């Protein structure tokens, strides 16, 4: 079975996250997007953990589904094409390990996965001794990353850890502010139990493959969604049975790991270097020429993902190992429709149009990846033009830096033919607003 998995997201109990991030709305948006397997997020938070225990029931080995009455409530409000097919949950949480090592304070985010509630309870007991689990859905633990991994491994068969958004300056394993230069430095004698790395929004697999030391790791991409509409902006594609342990085997061996759907890395919040307050954005070579100092205020620049990749790279930009999984870069449908209509992606008009399109054509990821352009044109000619450009990689890129999202646009030199797909009339409006961003510093 081929399916999209989004295994990094947050509930309403995590800081800077939407109050709409409850199970029902997360499930509805996963179906709209075409995500089959999604993480629960935040299982360490007592209130969210209680909600998960109340609302989820066992499905395939290690996976869960919504309770029947909740599933009916979710699918009853969706068009038939979005309500069909399975939707499964994997117990997941992102934790922040904060500790001193090598004379520096380390702040590293990790994703933890377990195949059942008994294992989740075991992890929560240990994590509760290192931090206040009720304070945030993404808890801060006073625990070395190596020791955190040891705790995870002790929670039973199948429990595993994946370093999160590994290049993010502030909280990534390789981040410029508090990270390491190698996975081995971070995990020491337990490095062999790490087999996958999350690339984050500001990098893609091609960038990561410039570092030969990462060849042994499966590269995964997930949304880190802080609100339901952000689900599926990055996914990992699997060709396995819908089964926790089948997914785990694919990550360990590569067999069944079929690649990923990526954010364009320039659209991430930390792709280039810079200083947001001074509106300074720099390429890596410019940062080096300036000695890492902002030319406006004289303070240290935030060194972004591209710079860190270049620091650690031992291969040219076009390098690709023979067995590397493929990937495709996409732009969320809300953003594309906002650009087509000339209004902000968060507007009611955009949401209404996306609802119309997905009701007619199916889930978002299917529209962006597979639906024939002729079928899209029957609903919206300008959208068909935009999706065609996206599939060909004909986009303009305005890179993000120091916490500011970049902008990826699908309009060509002459713009898009702004006609409403339902009646063909011209639509006047402002240029699409930039993607709304989360505020936790993740890439």
């Amino acid at each position: 079975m081929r399916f999209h998995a989004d295994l990094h997201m947050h509930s309403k109990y995590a800081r800077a996250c939407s109050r709409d991030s409850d199970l029902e709305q997360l499930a509805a948006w996963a179906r709209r997007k075409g995500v089959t397997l999604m993480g629960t997020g935040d299982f360490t938070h007592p209130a969210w953990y209680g909600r998960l225990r109340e609302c989820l029931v066992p499905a395939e080995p290690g996976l869960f589904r919504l309770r029947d009455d909740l599933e009916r409530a979710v699918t009853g409000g969706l068009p038939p094409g979005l309500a069909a097919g399975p939707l499964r949950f994997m117990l997941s949480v992102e934790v922040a390990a904060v500790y001193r090592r090598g004379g520096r304070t380390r702040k590293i985010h990790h994703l933890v996965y377990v195949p059942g509630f008994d294992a989740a309870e075991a992890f929560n007991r240990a994590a509760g001794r290192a931090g206040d689990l009720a304070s945030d859905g993404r808890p801060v633990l006073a625990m070395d990353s190596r020791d955190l991994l040891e705790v995870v491994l002790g929670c039973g068969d199948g429990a595993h850890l994946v370093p999160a958004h590994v290049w993010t300056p502030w909280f990534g394993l390789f981040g410029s502010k508090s990270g390491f230069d190698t996975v081995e430095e971070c995990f020491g004698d337990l490095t062999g139990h790490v087999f996958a790395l999350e690339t984050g929004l500001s990098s893609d697999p091609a960038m990561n493959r410039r570092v030969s030391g990462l060849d042994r790791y499966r590269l995964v991409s997930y949304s880190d969604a802080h609100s339901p509409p952000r689900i599926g902006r990055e996914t990992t594609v699997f060709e396995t049975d819908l089964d926790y342990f089948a997914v785990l085997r694919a990550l360990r061996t590569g067999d069944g790991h079929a690649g990923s759907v990526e954010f364009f890395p320039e659209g991430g919040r930390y792709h280039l270097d810079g200083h947001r307050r001074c509106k300074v954005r720099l390429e890596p070579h410019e940062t080096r020429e300036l000695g890492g100092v902002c030319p406006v205020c004289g303070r240290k620049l935030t060194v972004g993902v591209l710079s860190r990749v270049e620091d650690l790279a031992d291969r040219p930009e076009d390098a690709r190992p023979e067995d590397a999984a493929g990937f495709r870069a996409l732009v969320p449908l809300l953003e594309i429709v906002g650009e087509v209509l000339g209004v902000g992606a968060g507007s009611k008009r955009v949401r209404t149009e996306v609802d119309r399109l997905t009701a007619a054509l199916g889930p978002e990821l299917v529209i962006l990846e597979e639906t024939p352009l002729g079928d899209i044109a029957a609903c919206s000619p300008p959208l068909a033009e935009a999706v065609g450009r996206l599939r060909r990689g004909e986009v303009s890129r305005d890179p993000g830096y120091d916490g500011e999202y970049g902008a990826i646009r699908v309009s060509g030199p002459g713009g898009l033919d702004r006609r409403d797909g339902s009646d063909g009339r011209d639509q006047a409006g402002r240029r699409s607003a930039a993607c709304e961003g989360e505020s936790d510093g993740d890439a």
Side-chain angles (χ1 to χ4, degrees):
M1 177 180 180
R2 184 180 178 90
F3 58 90
H4 288 273
D6 186 355
L7 302 179
H8 182 182
M9 62 189 61
H10 293 283
S11 73
K12 62 184 179 181
Y13 295 101
R15 291 181 183 176
C17 291
S18 171
R19 290 176 294 179
D20 294 335
S21 293
D22 55 36
L23 274 173
E24 293 87 343
Q25 294 201 61
L26 290 169
W29 275 97
R31 288 189 173 279
R32 289 186 181 101
K33 295 298 183 102
V35 171
T36 298
L37 177 61
M38 59 189 297
T40 60
D42 303 352
F43 73 65
T44 53
H45 192 280
W48 188 243
Y49 180 80
R51 183 67 176 158
L52 296 176
R53 294 227 65 162
E54 175 189 357
C55 297
L56 298 181
V57 296
E60 296 80 7
L63 301 181
F64 297 85
R65 61 176 177 82
L66 284 178
R67 206 174 60 207
D68 286 343
D69 58 321
L70 296 178
E71 179 69 18
R72 288 193 294 270
V74 169
T75 57
L78 296 173
L82 303 182
L87 173 63
R88 298 295 184 259
F89 293 86
M90 180 183 291
L91 295 176
S92 69
V93 64
E94 181 185 17
V95 301
V98 180
Y99 55 100
R100 293 284 293 179
R101 174 99 77 80
R104 296 174 58 192
T105 297
R106 313 289 181 164
K107 299 178 180 180
I108 314 294
H109 285 191
H110 300 291
L111 300 169
V112 175
Y113 302 97
V114 295
F117 284 107
D118 289 345
E121 287 185 8
F123 180 79
N124 289 350
R125 285 195 296 270
R129 293 190 286 271
D132 181 3
L133 303 188
S135 66
D136 189 357
R138 185 205 303 101
V140 175
L141 306 181
M143 188 181 296
D144 190 290
S145 293
R146 184 260 175 218
D147 299 336
L148 174 64
L149 176 55
E150 185 173 40
V151 167
V152 172
L153 296 174
C155 291
D157 182 39
H160 63 286
L161 177 151
V162 175
H165 43 72
V166 293
W167 296 99
T168 304
W170 300 98
F171 302 113
L173 190 155
F174 301 129
S176 61
K177 296 294 185 181
S178 62
F180 300 89
D181 286 348
T182 67
V183 179
E184 290 79 7
E185 283 184 79
C186 185
F187 293 106
D189 61 313
L190 296 184
T191 299
H193 295 280
V194 178
F195 41 80
L197 305 172
E198 187 191 39
T199 60
L201 300 184
S202 293
S203 82
D204 62 17
M207 294 169 62
N208 284 259
R209 291 310 184 196
R210 295 188 61 195
V211 182
S212 63
L214 304 187
D215 286 355
R216 64 175 291 264
Y217 301 99
R218 245 56 62 194
L219 300 179
V220 298
S221 296
Y222 305 125
S223 70
D224 193 1
H226 289 210
S227 63
R230 298 293 180 222
I231 289 171
R233 62 181 175 179
E234 290 201 326
T235 71
T236 299
V237 182
F238 292 96
E239 291 182 349
T240 69
D241 292 337
L242 193 55
D243 173 325
Y244 180 101
F245 298 96
V247 169
L248 180 56
R249 283 193 297 273
L251 292 178
R252 281 177 169 157
T253 67
D255 185 15
H257 174 239
S260 57
V261 166
E262 301 282 332
F263 216 58
F264 282 89
E266 295 87 352
R269 297 172 67 188
Y270 293 100
H271 185 70
L272 292 185
D273 310 332
H275 193 192
R276 175 175 48 181
R277 183 170 297 177
C278 296
K279 302 187 184 304
V280 171
R281 178 176 61 184
L282 300 167
E283 295 283 345
H285 73 274
E286 296 174 307
T287 300
R288 294 185 181 95
E289 290 169 0
L290 292 168
V293 173
C294 175
V296 175
C297 70
R299 296 181 179 179
K300 285 187 176 181
L301 294 161
T302 299
V303 175
V305 169
L306 184 59
S307 271
R308 280 296 285 162
V309 170
E310 293 196 356
D311 286 344
L312 301 182
D314 55 359
R315 287 173 171 157
E317 292 184 9
D318 59 352
R320 180 182 177 184
E322 290 184 6
D323 59 348
F327 68 95
R328 167 177 277 176
L330 297 177
V331 176
L333 187 58
L334 286 167
E335 296 298 318
I336 298 175
V337 171
E339 190 173 349
V340 166
L341 298 180
V343 297
S347 71
K348 182 177 179 181
R349 185 177 168 204
V350 168
R351 184 70 59 83
T352 298
E353 176 66 359
V354 167
D355 286 346
R356 182 183 75 85
L357 292 166
T358 54
L361 299 171
E364 173 176 329
L365 287 166
V366 173
I367 294 172
L368 297 179
E369 290 189 290
E370 304 172 14
T371 303
L373 294 180
D375 292 352
I376 300 175
C379 289
S380 171
L383 178 64
E385 178 192 346
V387 171
R389 291 184 56 82
L390 177 64
R391 291 177 183 177
R392 296 189 297 272
E394 297 171 359
V395 300
S396 63
R397 313 179 192 203
D398 188 25
Y401 69 102
D402 194 21
E404 290 286 341
Y405 274 107
I408 309 297
R409 297 183 177 87
V410 294
S411 54
L416 290 168
D417 181 14
R418 299 191 190 282
R419 290 174 295 166
D420 185 282
S422 60
D423 61 17
R425 292 178 294 179
D426 290 340
Q427 297 290 342
R430 295 169 296 174
R431 185 171 296 183
S432 176
C435 174
E436 294 178 13
E438 289 87 33
S439 57
D440 68 334
D442 291 353

